[in-house]
């Protein structure tokens, strides 16, 4: 569980922590100031938190990649059940971004930084790579994000 403390203020949950850091510290803003782009960012974050994380990471990546690496057999039924949900999630993310290069449109937002690790892990599973390949906008976005110095510096040893 992600946890954070700043000057005695304690917080948990990834999106709450990210929003706080964005508002409390100097640096480029990662939350749009205009209502519509902000709503798209929030929509992408909610899709990821409500439908994406469990499906992409736990149901596919953990079962297909991590389980065998630790000597446990993959739960094939769990993976099979997750794949349609994963495809729906990626389709929703494609639609949310419209024509922009980022998940919420024209600029990098918290949604991009929240989604990147999930989709990096998801793509490590062959089924995840195949679903991402069927969503060219998401595939291009993920390649663009993977080339960012911050993601390159935090690359998983599994990549």
């Amino acid at each position: 569980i992600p946890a954070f403390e700043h000057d005695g203020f304690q917080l948990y949950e990834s999106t709450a922590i990210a929003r706080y850091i964005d508002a409390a510290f100097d640096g480029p803003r990662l939350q749009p100031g205009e209502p519509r782009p902000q709503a798209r960012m929030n929509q992408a974050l909610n899709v990821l938190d409500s439908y994406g994380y469990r499906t992409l990471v736990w149901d596919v990546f953990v079962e297909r990649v991590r389980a065998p690496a630790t000597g446990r057999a993959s739960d094939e039924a769990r993976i099979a059940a997750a794949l349609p949900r994963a495809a729906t999630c990626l389709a929703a993310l494609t639609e949310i971004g419209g024509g922009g290069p980022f998940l919420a449109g024209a600029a990098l937002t918290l949604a991009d930084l929240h989604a990147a690790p999930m989709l990096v892990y998801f793509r490590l599973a062959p089924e995840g790579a195949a679903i991402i390949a069927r969503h060219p906008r998401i595939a291009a976005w993920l390649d663009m994000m993977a080339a960012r110095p911050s993601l390159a510096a935090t690359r998983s040893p599994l990549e």
Side-chain angles (χ1 to χ4, degrees), residues 82-101:
L83 295 176
R85 292 191 307 267
T88 299
C89 182
L90 268 60
L93 292 174
T94 297
E95 184 180 314
I96 289 167

Side-chain angles (χ1 to χ4, degrees), residues 27-51:
R29 291 290 165 224
L30 297 171
Q31 297 178 84
E34 294 295 316
R36 288 182 181 187
Q38 187 174 67
R40 290 296 186 202
M41 178 200 72
N42 288 330
Q43 187 178 22
L45 286 168
N46 288 335
V47 164
L48 290 162
D49 284 345
S50 296
Y51 312 106

Side-chain angles (χ1 to χ4, degrees), residues 38-120:
Q38 187 174 67
R40 290 296 186 202
M41 178 200 72
N42 288 330
Q43 187 178 22
L45 286 168
N46 288 335
V47 164
L48 290 162
D49 284 345
S50 296
Y51 312 106
Y53 180 72
R54 179 174 257 320
T55 298
L56 303 172
V57 176
W58 285 100
D59 295 343
V60 178
F61 166 74
V62 168
E63 287 303 320
R64 178 60 69 219
V65 178
R66 293 297 296 162
T70 61
R72 182 173 64 80
S74 298
D75 183 337
E76 298 297 333
R78 185 173 179 180
I79 294 168
L83 295 176
R85 292 191 307 267
T88 299
C89 182
L90 268 60
L93 292 174
T94 297
E95 184 180 314
I96 289 167
F102 295 98
L103 290 184
L108 179 77
T109 69
L110 295 177
D112 300 290
L113 302 176
H114 195 61
M118 291 181 213
L119 288 166
V120 163

Side-chain angles (χ1 to χ4, degrees), residues 134-146:
R134 291 194 304 266
H135 292 85
R137 183 178 176 283
I138 298 298
W141 166 86
L142 189 53
D143 290 340
M144 177 185 67
M145 291 299 293

